[in-house]
Amino acid sequence: MDCNTICPEASHGEMASSRIGDLERALQAVTDSRGKRGRRYEAATVLTVMVLAKMAGEQTWSGIAQWVRLRLGWLQEAVALPKAPCANSYRYICEHIDAVELNAKAAAFLRETRAERVESGSETSACPAAHPGLALRHLACDGKELRGSHRLVQGQEQAAQQVFGIYNVRAGYMEALVPIAGKGYEPAAFRQWLKGQALQGTLITADALHTQTAVCREIRRCGGDYLLIAKRNQRALYEDIRFCFNQAPDYWFPERQAQSVEKGHGRHEVRSIRVSRELNQYLGDRWPDVQQVFQIERRIQRRGKPACEVVCGLTSLPHEVASAEQLLHCVRQHWQIENRNHWRRDATLGEDRTKTVSKPAALVIAALNNAILALLDRAGVHNVRSAMRTFAAYPDQALALIRSSP
C-alpha cells in the first residue's frame, strides 16, 4: 500500500505546512481529576508523549516508558517534560482522566479542523467518502470489547470493559465513546446516548442488535434518520421483508434495484439490492416513519469457493432522498467503524496488548487510539505501519502533526 508520510529529508520548516491543527491544545483542555498535591507531571504533557510513543509503535505501558526514557533530552525541550515517568505513572494519570471527555475534546478539534479545511478547499482524507449524492452526516454505531482490560484479579476473573462507539463515516473520526456497564447493556448505552442529541441531517446506522422500535423512535424524535439491519432477533420484521422480496418484481409490487462489484485480495464480491415501499403502511404502526425496506444479496467468490448471504433491513430515508445505489453504499460504509477504527486499533496500534487491570485507563487508551487514527487519516496516511516506522526514527515529524504552527 501507499504511504503519504513526510520523507525523512523534510526539514522542520517544511513540516509546518503539513500540520493540520493543535491536538496538543485539545489534550490540555481535558480535566485532570488528580489531587493538586504531589503532582509531578502535567496530564496534558503525559498524554502528548503517550501519543508520540504510540505513533512510533509502542503498545504497552513499559514500552511507552522506555521510549520516553530513551528520548528524554529531546522531550524536555519539545514538550517541557521534566523527567521520565515510570510505567505506573502513565497508568495512574490515565485512571484520573475522563475518557468520554477526552474523546469529545479530540472530536471537537477534528471537527473544527475539518471545517476549516473544507472551507479552504484543502480537505483530503485517507478514509473513503460517503456517496456524493447523499449529503448527510453518517454515524455508524457499534460496540467493542477492550480485551486488554480482561484480567484475573486476586483469583477472580474481571470481565473486559465494553465500549460503544459512534463513528463519523464521512469525516473519519470517532464522534463519541460511551462506556457500557457490562455484557448485554449495549442497547441501553445506545439509547442513553441518543437522548438529547441533535441529529438533524444525520443518518444513523447500526447492526441488528439495535433494530428496536425504541431506538427508531428516539432517532426520529432527535430529527435523524435510521438505516438498520433486520435479523431473526426481530423475527416478524425479518420474515415480512423476506416475504416481500420472495417473488420477482411486477406491476403491482414495484421495486428498485442496484448492484455493485468489488475485486481484490483473491475475492470477487457482487452485491445486489432490491428496495421497496410496499410495506410502509403495514410496518408503520410499529416502526416509526419507515419509508423503505430492502434486501441485499452478497455473492462472494473467495479462492474459487462460492458463498451467498442475504441481509434485510429498513430505513426512514424516502426514495427521493436515498436511491437504491445510495442505500447499498450506506450499508457498505457502515462497516468503516470496524475496518478503519476497531480493527486498526487492535491489529495496528495493539490496543488489546495494552494489558491493564484499570478499566478507566483502558478507556483512555481507546480514546487516544481514536485520535491517532483520525489524525493520520486526516494527514492522508494510507499505510499506518509505514508511518509508525517513520515516526519511530523521526519523532519530530509526529510532534509536527499534533502541534500547530508556532
Side-chain angles (χ1 to χ4, degrees):
M1 291 191 296
D2 296 331
C3 178
N4 232 8
T5 51
I6 299 92
C7 63
E9 293 79 8
S11 68
H12 189 77
E14 293 171 333
M15 291 286 295
S17 62
S18 301
R19 296 170 184 167
I20 64 174
D22 193 349
L23 178 61
E24 189 177 23
R25 189 175 297 119
L27 296 177
Q28 291 170 353
V30 176
T31 303
D32 182 3
S33 63
R34 292 178 298 163
K36 293 184 179 180
R37 184 177 181 181
R39 288 191 189 182
R40 297 183 179 180
Y41 311 99
E42 291 296 327
T45 302
V46 171
L47 292 175
T48 299
V49 299
M50 286 181 66
V51 169
L52 292 172
K54 290 183 71 62
M55 289 175 71
E58 300 301 331
Q59 300 176 351
T60 64
W61 300 113
S62 59
I64 292 171
Q66 184 180 14
W67 186 91
V68 172
R69 285 198 302 271
L70 293 174
R71 295 159 181 81
L72 181 58
W74 173 72
L75 290 170
Q76 286 176 329
E77 295 183 2
V79 297
L81 182 69
K83 59 181 183 178
C86 67
N88 286 334
S89 295
Y90 294 100
R91 182 173 60 247
Y92 176 78
I93 292 173
C94 288
E95 288 175 348
H96 291 80
I97 299 296
D98 186 344
V100 176
E101 181 192 17
L102 171 59
N103 193 91
K105 297 291 186 184
F109 147 74
L110 292 163
R111 191 180 306 115
E112 292 169 1
T113 54
R114 181 177 187 270
E116 293 173 359
R117 291 171 67 89
V118 168
E119 289 178 2
S120 65
S122 61
E123 171 67 18
T124 59
S125 177
C127 61
H131 194 286
L134 193 57
L136 295 173
R137 183 177 63 150
H138 181 180
L139 299 183
C141 307
D142 194 22
K144 185 183 186 301
E145 182 179 75
L146 305 182
R147 295 186 180 92
S149 60
H150 177 270
R151 298 294 295 274
L152 285 175
V153 182
Q154 297 179 351
Q156 295 185 350
E157 185 177 20
Q158 173 181 280
Q161 173 68 52
Q162 307 284 329
V163 65
F164 189 72
I166 295 92
Y167 184 74
N168 191 317
V169 173
R170 194 171 193 129
Y173 64 85
M174 193 68 76
E175 285 266 0
L177 200 66
V178 182
I180 301 174
K183 191 172 183 179
Y185 288 89
E186 183 178 323
F190 185 24
R191 291 195 298 270
Q192 184 63 34
W193 176 81
L194 282 173
K195 292 180 179 179
Q197 296 290 327
L199 299 179
Q200 288 78 11
T202 300
L203 173 65
I204 300 289
T205 59
D207 59 22
L209 178 64
H210 303 286
T211 305
Q212 302 177 9
T213 56
V215 170
C216 296
R217 190 175 297 109
E218 190 64 28
I219 291 173
R220 295 299 294 157
R221 191 187 67 80
C222 295
D225 286 290
Y226 59 82
L227 191 156
L228 301 172
I229 300 300
K231 291 186 178 179
R232 286 184 170 84
N233 62 325
Q234 291 287 348
R235 181 172 294 275
L237 174 64
Y238 175 79
E239 291 179 352
D240 287 339
I241 297 175
R242 288 300 302 268
F243 180 79
C244 178
F245 295 107
N246 199 30
Q247 303 295 329
D250 57 30
Y251 176 81
W252 301 105
F253 296 97
E255 63 181 53
R256 292 172 298 139
Q257 300 181 5
Q259 187 178 89
S260 67
V261 180
E262 286 190 9
K263 299 179 182 179
H265 305 287
R267 169 181 172 135
H268 181 275
E269 183 172 357
V270 179
R271 301 186 194 89
S272 303
I273 188 171
R274 299 169 64 185
V275 185
S276 174
R277 294 182 290 167
E278 297 305 312
L279 293 182
N280 292 353
Q281 186 174 0
Y282 176 74
L283 298 176
D285 291 341
R286 186 178 179 192
W287 300 95
D289 299 329
V290 59
Q291 294 293 318
Q292 301 184 88
V293 297
F294 59 85
Q295 176 180 279
I296 298 175
E297 184 181 81
R298 300 169 180 157
R299 294 190 177 274
I300 305 170
Q301 283 277 350
R302 186 185 289 110
R303 297 181 178 89
K305 296 181 179 180
C308 183
E309 179 181 316
V310 176
V311 176
C312 299
L314 74 167
T315 179
S316 63
L317 292 171
H319 72 99
E320 296 88 357
V321 175
S323 65
E325 293 86 352
Q326 290 166 336
L327 289 180
L328 184 62
H329 184 81
C330 287
V331 172
R332 180 64 170 167
Q333 288 295 90
H334 166 77
W335 296 109
Q336 293 298 320
I337 188 174
E338 180 67 32
N339 299 333
R340 299 204 62 81
N341 186 271
H342 291 174
W343 186 85
R344 293 199 297 170
R345 275 162 52 184
D346 289 336
T348 305
L349 299 180
E351 182 171 287
D352 287 347
R353 288 186 286 275
T354 308
K355 301 292 185 180
T356 177
V357 72
S358 170
K359 291 184 177 182
L363 286 168
V364 169
I365 290 294
L368 291 178
N369 287 340
N370 287 336
I372 290 169
L373 290 176
L375 192 70
L376 294 177
D377 280 346
R378 193 63 52 80
V381 173
H382 297 283
N383 190 324
V384 176
R385 284 286 190 190
S386 178
M388 290 165 70
R389 288 189 286 270
T390 299
F391 294 143
Y394 305 95
D396 58 316
Q397 295 189 13
L399 182 61
L401 282 179
I402 69 172
R403 180 178 280 175
S404 62
S405 301

